[in-house]
Amino acid sequence: MSKVIGIDLGTTNSCVAVMEGGEAVVIPNAEGNRTTPSVVAFSKTGERMVGQVAKRQAITNPDRTISSIKRDMGTDRRINIDGKSYTPQEISAMILQKLKADAEAYLGSPVTQAVITVPAYFTDSQRQATKDAGKIAGLEVQRIINEPTAAALAYGLDKENDQKIMVYDLGGGTFDVSILEIGDGVIEVLATAGNNRLGGDDFDDCVIKYLTDEFKNTTGAHPANETANKHRPNETPQKAKIKPQDSNSTNINRPDTTPQATNPKHRNTTLTKEKINQPKTKTQKATRRTGKHANAN
C-alpha cells in the first residue's frame, strides 16, 4: 500500500511531507529544498516549468509565468498562454504534480493519495477546486484540512488538555489568524480573519523599494532590473530580509545595477534590523490602503 503524503499548497511556496516513524518528515524536492515555489511557467517553445526553475526565469518571461494562483481557486478565472486556456485548478495541478513526483523519487514508490491543507476561510467552492486540482494531478485527496488545524496537530496540541488557542499563519502571500478549540481529540475552528493580500512577498517589495530609493539618493541613477513587482530578478531582497534575524545588519553589495554599460554604478548598502522593524507612518499606511506600493521608509 502506497503512503499518503501531506501537502501544503501555498500561495508563494508549497511543501510535501510524509509520516515516518510516527513523525511528519518534510520531503526535499529535486533541487534539494524543503519548499517549492508555487510558480508555473511556459517557455516560448511550449516547455512547462514548475517551481524554482519557473521562478528564476520569471523576470525574462513574465507573460508566460503564473504565480499566486491559490488566490484564484474557486473562481472562473482563465489563464491564457499562447492561445490555450487554463483554469486555476489546472495550474495548481501542475504544482501538485511536481510535489507528487518529488515524493515518489524520495519514497521510491508511486504515490496516489494525499491530504491537502487549505486556509480556514476557504469556501466550499475553493475547497472543491483544491480537490479537483488533486484529481487532475493524479492524486486521490483523502481529506482537506484547515491550515491552523494542521499546525495544531503538528505541535501535538490535540493530545494536551482542553484549551482554546490562537494560530498565526504568515505566509508568502497571505496572513491570517484563527481561534481553535481543542477537546477530546477534536479541533474546531471557532473564528478566522486575516488579509489574503499580505505576506512575505510584500515585505520583499518594501525591501526592494528601500534599496532602490537608497541607490537613487546616493548615486542619482536608477537601478536596472530591480523594480518592485511580482516577478523578482533574484533573491537578494529575500536574503537581505532574512539575514538581520540572525544578526543586527547585512551588507548588500551588488555590481552592475545600472543600465549604462559605460558608466556602471555598484550598490553597497547596509540593511539593519531596526530599519526592517521600523513602523510605517500614517501616510505610508494610507498609501497601503489605497492599493499603491508600500514604502519601506
Side-chain angles (χ1 to χ4, degrees):
M1 181 178 179
S2 63
K3 288 192 174 182
V4 179
I5 57 174
I7 295 175
D8 176 6
L9 184 60
T11 307
T12 306
N13 293 289
S14 295
C15 181
V16 58
V18 67
M19 293 296 293
E20 291 185 342
E23 295 185 358
V25 176
V26 174
I27 297 175
N29 58 25
E31 296 75 32
N33 301 316
R34 289 163 59 89
T35 59
T36 297
S38 301
V39 182
V40 174
F42 298 87
S43 71
K44 294 180 180 180
T45 60
E47 177 189 2
R48 190 173 80 193
M49 296 166 279
V50 181
Q52 191 63 44
V53 64
K55 182 179 179 181
R56 285 185 185 138
Q57 58 81 67
I59 192 65
T60 60
N61 187 32
D63 294 337
R64 294 182 177 84
T65 302
I66 307 105
S67 59
S68 301
I69 195 64
K70 180 175 178 177
R71 289 173 171 167
D72 297 310
M73 293 295 278
T75 71
D76 294 329
R77 183 193 171 193
R78 291 274 177 168
I79 300 93
N80 295 308
I81 305 291
D82 295 331
K84 187 172 182 179
S85 179
Y86 299 91
T87 65
Q89 295 94 307
E90 290 173 323
I91 298 298
S92 293
M94 296 174 191
I95 301 170
L96 291 173
Q97 285 173 336
K98 158 72 170 166
L99 300 174
K100 177 178 182 291
D102 288 338
E104 289 176 335
Y106 174 86
L107 296 170
S109 60
V111 172
T112 59
Q113 297 177 315
V115 171
I116 304 178
T117 63
V118 297
Y121 58 78
F122 255 28
T123 63
D124 288 342
S125 62
Q126 289 172 306
R127 292 168 190 268
Q128 184 59 52
T130 303
K131 286 184 178 180
D132 293 341
K135 184 176 181 179
I136 296 170
L139 291 168
E140 179 185 349
V141 180
Q142 297 290 298
R143 190 172 180 181
I144 296 290
I145 297 182
N146 290 325
E147 289 167 358
T149 300
L153 290 170
Y155 279 94
L157 298 180
D158 58 313
K159 298 178 177 64
E160 299 180 3
N161 296 331
D162 295 356
Q163 58 185 313
K164 285 187 176 71
I165 64 170
M166 180 181 290
V167 177
Y168 288 93
D169 185 356
L170 176 58
T174 61
F175 177 43
D176 50 79
V177 57
S178 300
I179 304 297
L180 309 183
E181 183 172 43
I182 303 175
D184 297 327
V186 177
I187 301 177
E188 180 182 0
V189 178
L190 299 181
T192 186
N195 187 339
N196 67 352
R197 299 284 173 175
L198 174 64
D201 288 349
D202 300 283
F203 302 159
D204 293 344
D205 285 346
C206 287
V207 172
I208 292 173
K209 179 65 166 60
Y210 168 70
L211 296 177
T212 300
D213 290 344
E214 284 290 295
F215 185 81
K216 287 193 293 186
N217 293 337
T218 302
T219 67
H222 195 288
N225 298 325
E226 219 171 84
T227 55
N229 56 48
K230 66 179 180 179
H231 297 310
R232 289 168 184 76
N234 53 58
E235 297 177 351
T236 299
Q238 292 180 353
K239 292 179 180 178
K241 174 187 69 176
I242 295 169
K243 181 64 175 176
Q245 306 308 314
D246 301 320
S247 59
N248 290 325
S249 65
T250 183
N251 181 258
I252 302 164
N253 193 337
R254 292 196 57 219
D256 193 26
T257 52
T258 57
Q260 296 89 350
T262 58
N263 185 28
K265 297 182 184 298
H266 306 299
R267 167 173 298 164
N268 192 344
T269 307
T270 298
L271 183 66
T272 65
K273 182 183 293 187
E274 180 182 11
K275 173 58 68 175
I276 291 178
N277 293 333
Q278 182 177 316
K280 293 182 184 299
T281 65
K282 291 182 179 179
T283 301
Q284 291 161 351
K285 290 178 180 178
T287 300
R288 178 71 186 180
R289 286 196 295 270
T290 59
K292 296 180 181 179
H293 186 72
N295 195 323
N297 293 327

